[in-house]
Amino acid sequence: MPAPAQRRIIFQHIDEPGYTNDLACYLRHGGYANLRQAVTRKPEELIDEVKKSGLRGRGGAGFPCGVKWDLVDRKSGKPIYLVVNADESEPGTFKDRYIIHQDPHQLIEGIMITCFANNVKQAYIYIRGEFPEGARILEKAIAEARAGGFVGPNILGTGYGCEIYVHRGAGAYICGEETGLIESLEGKRPYPRIKPPYFPAVLGLYQCPTIVNNVETLCHVKKIVEIGGEAYAKIGTPNNTGTRILCVSGHVQRPGYYEFEVGKVTLGELLNEVCGGPLPGRRFKAVIPGGSSAKVLRFGERFKGKRKIGNDLVDYDWGVEDVPMDFDCLAMIGSMGGSGGVIVMDDSVDIVAALANINEFYAHESCGQCTPCREGSLWMKKISARMVHGEARTEDGALLKSVADQIAGRTICAFGEACSWPTQSFLAKFGDEFKAYPESRKAAAAPAVPLA
Amino acid sequence: MNLKPETLARIDEVIPHYPSKRSATLPLLHLIQEDVGYIPQEAIEWVAARLELQPINVYEVVTFYPMFRQKPIGRRHVKVCRTLSCALLGAYRTCETFEREFGVRRGEVSADGEVTVDFVECLASCGTAPVVMIDDALHEKVDVARTQELSAQIRREAAARS
Ligand SMILES: Cc1cc2nc3c(=O)[nH]c(=O)nc-3n(C[C@H](O)[C@H](O)[C@H](O)COP(=O)(O)O)c2cc1C
Ligand code: SF4
Ligand code: FES
């Protein structure tokens, strides 16, 4: 069966010849019509549409957007903030970049609809420091939108006012974690806050109720208001509604971004048909399906169990290629959809070196507050780097696993899990290669493509 | 502090974006680094005074975030992405080639003060790996041949300036 066609809702205009990122072009394509319509409706109705849509957050955790908005403390009398997570820092993820650079007004419209729905008067876009051009584009787009009456003190003559400011990060991955991000926006080190009590919906920015949503999520909100929550819920699969941008990188013929209805494309269709399969003479070896923190899958392994389809429990027996790309199926097989970043490795890859590469990232990015994370990520890096560059021992795999096993569940934020899952899953799936490494490394020539 | 009038104007503009002055710490540091090239000690005290903070509040920010630096670097800043997707397509070779082209190790400034080469983590452009940022500009699919072209271009631009 051929792979289903892409369905470009959010990326409709990305890479379209002649489509530019200025307001005039956006208006020519019907831009801000959804905001115009939204401000004539009751805010509660808009929240209801988002709830009906089933939209799940595209930033990593897949948390239902409508539920998140419902949790906001609206009785405190304090202002409510919207913080847009444009940190895009999960390795393997590169979708928000294109929205920001090529279609910034789509994001701004989604932001303003969200603000109106939630009675937000001030929004901040937290954009990673490595997107200097993106920050300039957003600032220009916001200025244009302000001049057009779509942002600012009196939006479209309604008397409702809301500002957006762009806030640049400065190269730290942990600023993507929502409470780290909030600390950073307050001008501090981005040390994540402990939950409870610091749920952003109650005690967020400046200790006020705060909504944190990913860039792509907010673009979906705009679409939901356009077509209605019920119609949106028909796109995709139950509990995994809408479309999702999948970012494919690594060893495939055609890496890039592809937008599909959630759950309609399998991993095999995506990699073999859409991305053109492995490089010449190569075979797929491993794939990380949801950003570098997601647990790795090994080609050849099988996943068996029962899953719910409608009201029925149905047996499934899948190879890696058969797994539908949605939140629930990827969770069912022990990994996650995460941020939509699919990283592919073929049979040329030294799996220990690949883990050493990932471990170096996490050791560099741990904020250092929690001892298990700070020390554990550093030791995982040191052990895997020693295996690649120095002396490897048969017992190193077990040692790595024992370090990883002592982090998850003992930290302030989910980075603890994020940094231990790669090591745990690489060892669970490729334990044989770690065991054989002292011998195989001696026998191997220097790698043509070093990874660490 | 000897800051350009434009920098001072932008500083005045950005502070009221926030209900709390402290939030302007990162924006001010970015503006100063763009102006001066790095964050000198006196800037830390200057920002603290401007935002009614203690110098330590600013210092701890400067030392945490990888993009802020307390020493000058080369006129051009070459940042090679090191993370997995780029590494799989040859980022280590790309970085080594830049190092050879300018006779530096990563983290160092070339003898003529022209170039600093650094490894950085994922730049969110993994689909066009390996990627490199030179100052504010992103370069995609930077294999060894493209590395040599970019290096030649940097040298040409340096020669044109002198
Ligand atoms: C270590 C870590 C890094 C994260 N990085 C990002 C990021 O770069 N971008 C993002 O949108 N969410 C990121 N998240 C998820 C956010 O904490 C948050 O869940 C998300 O922004 C919520 O938006 P959503 O509900 O629209 O997905 C990260 C989470 C963790 C634990
Ligand atoms: S888990 Fe790691 S990154 Fe998260 S707060 Fe603790 S030390 Fe920081
Ligand atoms: S790994 Fe290099 S841009 Fe993401």
Side-chain angles (χ1 to χ4, degrees), chain A residues 174 177 190-193 365-371 373-374 407 411-417 419:
Chain A
I174 197 59
E177 195 283 334
Y191 287 149
R193 297 174 175 173
E365 301 299 338
S366 168
C367 86
Q369 279 193 103
C370 320
T371 308
C373 170
R374 180 187 65 243
I407 303 171
T411 61
I412 293 173
C413 88
F415 183 106
E417 279 76 29
C419 77

Side-chain angles (χ1 to χ4, degrees), chain A residues 92 94 97 124 128-129 165 167-171 184-190 206 249 251 357 361 447-449 451-452, chain B residues 17-19 22-23 30 34 60-61 63-67 82 84-85 87-88 92-93 121-124 126-127 136:
Chain A
F94 49 94
R97 158 189 285 284
Y124 293 98
R128 58 181 309 187
Y165 293 123
H167 187 94
R168 292 182 61 204
S184 181
L185 192 44
E186 290 185 1
K188 306 175 201 158
R189 285 187 168 197
Y206 310 120
S249 64
H251 291 149
N357 181 290
F361 173 82
V449 181
L451 300 179
Chain B
H17 287 186
Y18 308 94
R22 185 172 185 173
S23 279
H30 274 301
E34 275 162 34
E60 65 181 0
V61 167
T63 52
F64 186 93
Y65 292 86
M67 282 176 72
R82 186 208 67 82
L84 186 58
S85 304
L88 287 170
Y92 277 74
R93 287 276 178 270
E121 299 298 343
C122 180
L123 292 170
C126 327
D136 279 0

Side-chain angles (χ1 to χ4, degrees), chain A residues 253-267:
Chain A
Q253 303 255 8
R254 289 189 293 275
Y257 33 81
Y258 302 97
E259 184 174 351
F260 283 98
E261 293 192 36
V262 188
K264 291 282 172 78
V265 72
T266 63
L267 195 45

Side-chain angles (χ1 to χ4, degrees), chain B residues 5 36 45 62 64 84 109 121 133 139 149 161:
Chain B
V36 184
E45 280 153 37
V62 173
F64 186 93
L84 186 58
V109 190
E121 299 298 343
M133 275 182 87
H139 300 269
E149 282 168 27
R161 222 177 20 247

Side-chain angles (χ1 to χ4, degrees), chain A residues 204-236:
Chain A
L205 184 61
Y206 310 120
Q207 304 300 325
C208 296
T210 302
I211 298 169
V212 184
N213 272 134
N214 170 261
V215 167
E216 185 192 337
T217 308
L218 294 171
C219 294
H220 285 284
V221 168
K222 175 191 143 338
K223 189 71 194 177
I224 290 163
V225 168
E226 179 188 331
I227 65 174
E230 268 167 36
Y232 183 92
K234 294 201 179 93
I235 307 172

